[in-house]
């Protein structure tokens, strides 16, 4: 499928009829549409999405989503009208507008259509629709600002077709042209596709999984299986078993209620995600304003500084208390040799004191033994002469074990506990006291420096915070941050609710399955049910094999494409695609099997990864559709840009339309490298209030652009 013509009529910057036509050449698939900033490159890309998807275009493109979120879809429709035409329309009297709105356009006021209407038209070539022979399809979506009505027309080979009327234009486009869930793989802004590398939000992972299922054709088989299950359910609703039917109906209602609640919660989550993106963007803008006003401190930093000041103040008190205890021993440490001499004297005196204590104890023991023996002799009633003789002999023997106290000069009369404490203090002062004191003094000094520096920083910030303008910005920033915190709390609560409801849903589904097995069917319905069950079983087996096959194929394709585009050689050695229900993520691993945090990749590498994912999914899908890329090559270095030009653009699609800003997003050297693949070039020229397309030669593109900018 290729695009033959694109026409913009009174759409935003494009006043009147503006048509761009594409030639076809199998060897040259690249088309350049260039213009200065603000001339309408992004508007052109948005017009295509609006033409195809209308209000659903906001599901594809972030900027459109923000625009719809800020003012609503009808405000977007009104804003799409060219501003100069809108000015003329505003000058038309109210009665005429009222007449047109009530009775329609009559011949005498038909001229007003040129001011009140706009449309975007896309003509496709080489279209293949099952069972409908055709070669061209033309889609036109427009809006009338007076009637306030949007319309869409589809022509197959220049004629209206019953199929488009029967199924509706939106479904026709979604099923036969391009599904909106995968549209962002064919219409993308290079600055925004890096979000594919940042799948931190559940909504982003869900959108990626949905696109994966659509691109690889998994969704159609899952829908078929669901339809077969519904058929089996209808068979059972016709059963004669009223009791079971009522129970099943009740459970089905409960299941539907839970599914609606889950959908509602998911919608709220998606909405919160969008609000958080907007709030974070606003918060960053306020931070930039503070920086411009000379105060680059964030509230987190201010709170961190207050916490740091508190910790440092507490440590300062603790260090002072410890230093005070250290200073009590300082005189002893300062005594040096004198303290060591004192230790020698104390040791000697303690040994002497211990020795004297032992002598006294032994003399007392000898005296007690002597006394006891004398008493024993007296009790034996011996001859007085013999008794006297024995007593003298015993005294002589025991006197050998009695020590004579010597007069000693003890300077330090110290007890054992006092001696042990003195030794402990001496050992501490002569061993670890110095190193610990130096470490403590160093820690105290460093903490004091941090304390003083933090105090000065806070003082400067608080002085600036008193400025009226900064205080106002800070207040608004704090309100936004509080709002962000509240939204994150709501997000966590909703995720918790979804988890609970999914568990309840699984329980209800299990109960329904058990009841369905017990329902008796008549012969005909029983045969149909058996066939449906057999088909469901085969589909389930087929889906498991298909998902695994597609998963392995996608992993290999991502790895191959990424390594071919990066200049780091075999930087990625393993790619793992993780799919869990409606959640999907992709992990990249290096040579040493280390998981790569995609948030740490440079913007250029993130864009390269996102581009790789796009190319891999497009190749896996086999979908033939033109690719439109805004801001190409912006984040790439010279080596990556060359790889993208030679290996990416020529192979991603049969028709690739690039919207570069010349010299910045596409240099002369890169243009020369791309020239063999370029089919046609167009310049968007601007005449103050309107833009239009001018076809030019690729060799004169740069010079033509210079003339336009000058």
């Amino acid at each position: 499928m290729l695009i033959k013509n694109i026409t913009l009529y009174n759409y935003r910057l494009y006043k009147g009829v503006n048509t761009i036509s594409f030639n076809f050449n199998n060897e040259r698939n690249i088309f350049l549409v260039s213009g200065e900033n603000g001339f309408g490159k992004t508007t052109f890309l948005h017009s295509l999405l609006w033409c195809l998807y209308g209000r659903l275009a906001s599901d594809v493109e972030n900027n459109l989503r923000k625009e719809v979120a800020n003012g609503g879809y009808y405000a977007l429709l009104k804003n799409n009208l060219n501003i100069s035409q809108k000015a003329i329309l505003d000058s038309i009297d109210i009665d005429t507008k009222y007449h047109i709105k009530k009775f329609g356009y009559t011949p005498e006021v038909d001229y007003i259509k040129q001011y009140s209407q706009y449309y975007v038209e896309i003509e496709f070539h080489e279209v293949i629709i099952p069972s409908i022979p055709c070669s061209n399809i033309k889609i036109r979506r427009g809006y009338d600002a007076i009637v306030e009505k949007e319309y869409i027309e589809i022509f197959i080979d220049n004629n209206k077709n019953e199929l488009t009327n029967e199924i509706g234009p939106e479904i026709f486009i979604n099923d036969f042209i391009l599904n909106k869930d995968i549209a962002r793989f064919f219409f993308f802004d290079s600055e925004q596709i890096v979000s594919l590398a940042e799948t931190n939000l559940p909504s982003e992972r869900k959108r990626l999984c949905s696109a994966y299922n659509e691109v690889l054709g998994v969704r159609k088989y899952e829908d078929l299986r669901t339809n077969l299950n519904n058929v089996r359910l209808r068979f059972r609703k016709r059963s004669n078993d009223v009791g079971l039917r009522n129970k099943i109906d009740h459970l089905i209602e409960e299941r539907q209620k839970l599914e609606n609640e889950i959908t509602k919660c998911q919608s709220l989550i998606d909405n919160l995600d969008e609000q958080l993106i907007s709030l974070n963007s606003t918060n960053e803008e306020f931070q930039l304003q503070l920086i411009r006003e000379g105060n680059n401190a964030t509230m987190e930093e201010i709170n961190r500084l207050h916490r740091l000041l508190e910790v440092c103040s507490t440590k300062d008190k603790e260090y002072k208390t410890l230093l005070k205890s250290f200073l009590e021993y300082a005189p002893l440490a300062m005594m040096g040799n004198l303290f060591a001499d004192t230790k020698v004297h104390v040791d000697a005196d303690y040994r002497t004191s211990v020795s004297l204590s032992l002598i006294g104890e032994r003399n007392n023991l000898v005296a007690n033994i002597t006394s006891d023996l004398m008493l024993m002799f007296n009790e034996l009633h011996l001859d007085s002469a013999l008794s006297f003789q024995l007593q003298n002999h015993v005294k002589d023997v025991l006197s050998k074990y009695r020590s004579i106290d010597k007069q000693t000069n003890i300077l330090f009369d110290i007890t054992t506990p006092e001696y042990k404490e003195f030794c402990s203090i001496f050992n501490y002062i002569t061993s670890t006291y110095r190193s610990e004191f130096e470490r403590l003094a160093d820690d105290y000094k460093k903490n004091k420096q941090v304390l003083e520096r933090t105090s000065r920083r806070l003082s400067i910030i608080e002085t600036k915070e008193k400025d009226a303008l900064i205080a106002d910005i800070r207040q608004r920033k704090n309100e936004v941050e509080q709002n962000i915190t509240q939204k994150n709390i709501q997000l966590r609560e909703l995720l918790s609710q979804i988890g609970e409801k999914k568990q309840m849903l699984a329980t209800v589904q299990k109960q329904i399955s058990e009841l369905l097995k017990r329902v008796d069917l008549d012969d005909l319905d029983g045969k149909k049910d058996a066939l449906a069950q057999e088909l469901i079983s085969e589909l389930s087996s087929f889906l498991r094999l298909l998902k695994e096959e597609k998963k392995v194929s996608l992993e290999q394709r991502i790895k191959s494409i990424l390594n071919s585009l990066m200049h780091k050689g075999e930087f990625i050695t393993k790619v793992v695609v993780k799919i869990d229900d409606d959640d999907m993520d992709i992990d990249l691993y290096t040579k040493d099997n280390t998981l790569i945090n995609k948030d740490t990749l440079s913007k250029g590498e993130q864009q390269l990864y996102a581009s790789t994912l796009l190319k891999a999914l497009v190749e896996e899908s086999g979908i033939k559709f033109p690719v439109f890329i805004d801001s190409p090559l912006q984040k790439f270095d010279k080596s990556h840009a060359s790889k993208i030009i030679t290996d990416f653009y020529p192979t991603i699609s049969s028709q690739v339309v690039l919207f570069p800003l010349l010299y910045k997003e596409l240099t002369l050297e890169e243009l020369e490298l791309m020239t063999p693949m370029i089919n046609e070039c167009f310049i968007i020229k601007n005449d103050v209030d309107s833009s239009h397309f001018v076809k030019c030669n690729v060799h004169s593109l740069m010079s033509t652009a210079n003339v336009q900018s000058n």
Side-chain angles (χ1 to χ4, degrees):
M1 185 183 298
L2 301 171
I3 291 180
K4 185 177 181 180
N5 298 302
I6 298 173
T7 300
L8 280 68
Y9 175 72
N10 286 342
Y11 185 87
R12 298 208 173 190
L13 283 169
Y14 297 92
K15 180 181 177 182
V17 178
N18 296 270
T19 301
I20 186 168
S21 300
F22 301 99
N23 292 322
F24 306 126
N25 185 325
N26 292 332
E27 296 180 358
R28 295 172 177 263
N29 68 321
I30 296 177
F31 298 83
L32 298 184
V33 181
S34 182
E36 294 294 312
N37 282 331
F39 280 17
K41 298 191 302 297
T42 302
T43 297
F44 185 20
L45 191 63
H46 289 175
S47 73
L48 305 180
L49 292 171
W50 177 73
C51 178
L52 293 174
Y53 305 111
R55 65 169 59 250
L56 298 179
S58 59
D59 292 342
V60 181
E61 215 283 332
N62 288 336
N63 288 332
L64 285 174
R65 190 180 308 133
K66 291 178 183 178
E67 201 168 341
V68 171
N70 290 334
Y73 182 63
Y74 284 103
L76 174 71
L77 289 176
K78 292 178 181 179
N79 291 334
N80 283 344
L81 181 62
N82 179 263
I83 191 169
S84 61
Q85 303 296 66
K86 186 177 183 299
I88 297 173
L89 184 63
D90 290 341
S91 66
I92 296 173
D93 62 272
I94 297 175
D95 292 338
T96 302
K97 294 179 183 176
Y98 177 77
H99 183 273
I100 294 172
K101 192 170 185 178
K102 189 173 182 180
F103 302 104
Y105 289 92
T106 57
E108 59 270 15
V109 294
D110 197 60
Y111 74 95
I112 296 178
K113 287 182 180 179
Q114 62 183 310
Y115 310 121
S116 63
Q117 295 182 352
Y118 66 85
Y119 66 80
V120 178
E121 182 181 279
I122 306 174
E123 183 178 355
F124 294 94
H125 181 62
E126 295 184 2
V127 181
I128 299 175
I129 298 178
S131 304
I132 300 180
C134 65
S135 59
N136 282 52
I137 289 182
K138 189 182 294 183
I139 299 173
R140 176 188 289 187
R141 188 186 294 269
Y143 180 76
D144 190 304
I146 295 179
V147 180
E148 296 182 343
K149 185 177 180 181
E150 180 185 12
Y151 67 90
I152 180 170
E153 298 173 330
I154 299 178
F155 300 91
I156 298 178
D157 288 338
N158 296 320
N159 296 307
K160 290 189 176 181
N161 188 279
E162 291 182 2
L163 176 63
T164 62
N165 294 327
E166 183 179 342
I167 67 174
E170 309 292 351
I171 295 176
F172 177 84
I173 292 171
N174 212 52
D175 287 354
F176 297 108
I177 303 299
L178 187 68
N179 188 290
K180 78 171 181 65
D181 288 333
I182 61 176
R184 67 170 174 162
F185 295 118
F186 296 89
F187 300 88
F188 62 86
D189 186 325
S190 294
E191 292 185 34
Q192 294 180 8
I193 61 169
V194 295
S195 63
L196 288 175
E198 301 167 343
T199 51
N200 298 321
L201 296 177
S203 59
E204 278 296 325
R205 295 197 299 272
K206 182 181 177 183
R207 287 180 67 193
L208 181 60
C209 188
S210 177
Y212 170 84
N213 287 332
E214 287 289 348
V215 167
L216 303 183
V218 174
R219 180 65 50 78
K220 293 180 181 179
Y221 294 107
E222 290 180 335
D223 290 344
L224 179 57
R225 184 174 60 180
T226 301
N227 291 337
L228 286 170
N229 277 316
N230 291 335
V231 168
R232 296 188 69 201
L233 192 58
R234 284 198 295 272
F235 291 155
R236 280 153 178 77
K237 284 190 173 183
R238 294 204 293 261
S239 170
N240 294 325
D241 193 335
V242 179
L244 282 178
R245 270 172 35 201
N246 290 337
K247 288 181 181 179
I248 291 172
D249 288 341
H250 174 72
L251 287 172
I252 289 173
E253 288 178 4
E254 189 175 348
R255 181 181 68 181
Q256 186 62 47
K257 181 181 177 182
L258 286 169
E259 287 175 346
N260 291 337
E261 289 175 353
I262 290 172
T263 302
K264 184 179 178 181
C265 285
Q266 189 59 55
S267 178
L268 291 172
I269 287 172
D270 293 342
N271 188 35
L272 280 173
D273 284 340
E274 296 300 329
Q275 291 180 37
L276 282 169
I277 291 171
S278 178
L279 286 170
N280 284 321
S281 177
T282 303
N283 193 36
E284 290 174 2
E285 290 175 4
F286 281 137
Q287 185 59 40
L288 287 173
Q289 290 180 32
L290 288 172
I291 292 172
R292 292 190 192 102
E293 296 299 328
N295 186 0
N296 61 351
T298 63
M299 204 63 208
E300 290 83 358
E301 183 185 1
I302 294 174
N303 292 333
R304 182 183 63 78
L305 288 173
H306 276 294
R307 291 194 298 271
L308 181 60
L309 184 66
E310 184 179 352
V311 170
C312 288
S313 298
T314 303
K315 283 187 176 181
D316 185 68
K317 293 177 182 178
E318 293 174 355
Y319 286 145
K320 284 179 178 178
T321 302
L322 288 172
L323 282 171
K324 184 177 180 181
S325 66
F326 267 83
L327 290 174
E328 291 177 357
Y329 296 107
L332 296 176
M334 294 170 63
M335 289 168 58
N337 294 333
L338 182 60
F339 188 42
D341 293 341
T342 303
K343 175 66 166 57
V344 173
H345 285 293
V346 168
D347 288 342
D349 287 351
Y350 179 71
R351 286 194 298 272
T352 302
S353 177
V354 169
S355 177
L356 291 175
S357 177
L358 291 173
I359 290 172
E361 290 176 359
R362 189 170 62 183
N363 287 342
N364 289 335
L365 179 62
V366 171
N368 289 333
I369 293 172
T370 303
S371 176
D372 290 341
L373 289 173
M374 295 300 109
L375 289 173
M376 183 184 70
F377 291 150
N378 291 331
E379 291 175 354
L380 291 175
H381 303 291
L382 299 174
D383 180 69
S384 59
L386 179 60
S387 175
F388 181 76
Q389 187 179 2
L390 286 172
Q391 288 179 11
N392 286 333
H393 282 300
V394 169
K395 287 179 182 179
D396 291 339
V397 171
L398 291 175
S399 65
K400 296 178 182 178
Y401 298 96
R402 187 191 302 274
S403 298
I404 301 173
D405 292 341
K406 296 181 180 179
Q407 293 295 325
T408 56
N409 185 18
I410 298 176
L411 182 61
F412 299 105
D413 188 8
I414 189 168
T415 64
T416 298
E418 290 173 340
Y419 177 73
K420 289 180 178 180
E421 183 180 0
F422 178 84
C423 289
S424 176
I425 293 173
F426 180 83
N427 292 333
Y428 172 60
I429 290 175
T430 55
S431 58
T432 60
Y433 175 82
R434 180 175 179 178
S435 61
E436 287 186 9
F437 181 76
E438 288 177 349
R439 180 182 56 79
L440 179 61
D442 185 58
D443 290 345
Y444 172 75
K445 182 180 178 182
K446 290 178 180 177
N447 185 72
K448 193 75 173 176
Q449 291 173 345
V450 174
L451 180 64
E452 292 173 352
R453 186 166 60 246
T454 305
S455 298
R456 286 196 302 270
R457 173 68 175 151
L458 272 175
S459 177
I460 293 170
I461 292 172
E462 289 171 353
T463 301
K464 290 181 178 179
E465 290 287 328
K466 293 177 183 178
D467 179 84
L469 177 59
I470 292 178
D472 179 61
I473 296 172
R474 176 67 69 188
Q475 181 181 355
R476 287 187 287 165
K477 188 175 186 297
N478 289 344
E479 290 173 357
V480 170
E481 289 176 346
Q482 290 174 4
N483 203 354
I484 289 172
T485 302
Q486 292 173 358
K487 299 292 183 191
N488 280 320
I489 293 172
Q490 294 174 19
L491 189 62
R492 287 194 293 270
E493 290 175 350
L494 285 170
L495 289 171
S496 176
Q497 290 179 26
I498 279 187
E500 293 174 0
K501 293 183 186 302
K502 283 185 175 180
Q503 289 181 350
M504 294 169 64
L505 182 63
T507 302
V508 170
Q509 187 61 49
K510 186 177 180 181
Q511 291 173 349
I512 292 174
S513 299
E514 291 299 323
L515 287 176
L516 290 177
K517 294 176 183 177
R518 293 161 51 190
V519 176
D520 293 327
L521 302 176
D522 58 35
D523 291 340
L524 182 59
D525 283 349
K527 291 177 181 179
K528 292 177 181 178
D529 182 71
L531 179 59
Q533 184 179 12
E534 184 181 347
L535 290 172
I536 289 171
S537 178
E538 290 179 2
L539 268 174
S540 298
S541 300
F542 171 74
L543 272 171
R544 283 194 297 270
L545 293 173
L546 177 65
K547 287 181 178 180
E548 186 59 31
E549 179 185 336
K550 292 292 186 182
K551 175 180 175 294
V552 172
S553 178
L554 185 62
E555 289 171 345
Q556 293 174 349
R557 199 177 291 272
I558 291 173
K559 176 189 170 185
S560 174
I561 296 172
L562 193 55
N563 283 326
S564 69
L565 294 179
M566 296 188 76
H567 51 54
K568 295 182 179 179
E570 290 293 320
F571 178 60
I572 306 296
T573 57
K574 185 171 69 171
V575 176
V576 177
V577 176
K578 300 187 298 183
I579 303 174
D580 183 16
D581 291 333
D582 59 353
D583 189 276
M584 175 180 176
D585 203 359
I586 298 173
D587 289 339
L588 307 176
Y589 292 87
T590 59
K591 290 181 179 179
D592 57 356
N593 207 35
T594 301
L595 176 64
I596 297 174
N597 183 355
K598 293 191 285 289
D599 291 341
T600 62
L601 297 174
S602 67
K603 288 299 179 183
E605 288 174 330
Q606 286 184 348
Q607 185 173 333
L608 197 67
Y609 163 73
S611 301
T612 297
L613 182 56
L614 297 177
K615 189 172 189 293
L617 285 170
V618 169
E619 290 182 356
E620 281 291 320
S621 70
I623 296 173
K624 305 298 182 184
F625 195 88
V627 171
F628 295 81
I629 305 175
D630 194 8
S631 304
L633 307 178
Q634 187 178 34
K635 303 294 184 182
F636 295 126
D637 57 30
K638 185 176 179 180
S639 175
H640 284 149
S642 299
K643 287 278 191 179
I644 289 291
I645 291 170
T646 57
D647 297 345
F648 184 76
Y649 294 148
T651 59
I652 190 173
S653 173
S654 298
Q655 190 177 32
V656 179
V657 184
L658 306 180
F659 298 84
L661 183 62
L662 298 181
Y663 293 103
K664 182 178 181 182
E665 296 167 358
L666 183 66
T667 65
L668 181 59
E669 184 179 354
E670 291 164 348
L671 178 63
E672 290 175 354
L673 185 62
M674 193 185 295
T675 296
M677 287 84 76
I678 294 177
N679 190 316
E680 290 181 312
C681 297
F682 301 89
I683 291 287
I684 301 176
K685 293 197 173 184
N686 184 266
D687 301 324
V688 182
D689 64 342
S690 66
S691 293
H692 60 279
F693 305 110
V694 175
K695 188 175 179 179
C696 67
N697 186 282
V698 63
H699 301 293
S700 60
L701 178 62
M702 291 294 193
S703 58
T704 305
N706 275 333
V707 171
Q708 168 70 3
S709 61
N710 293 332

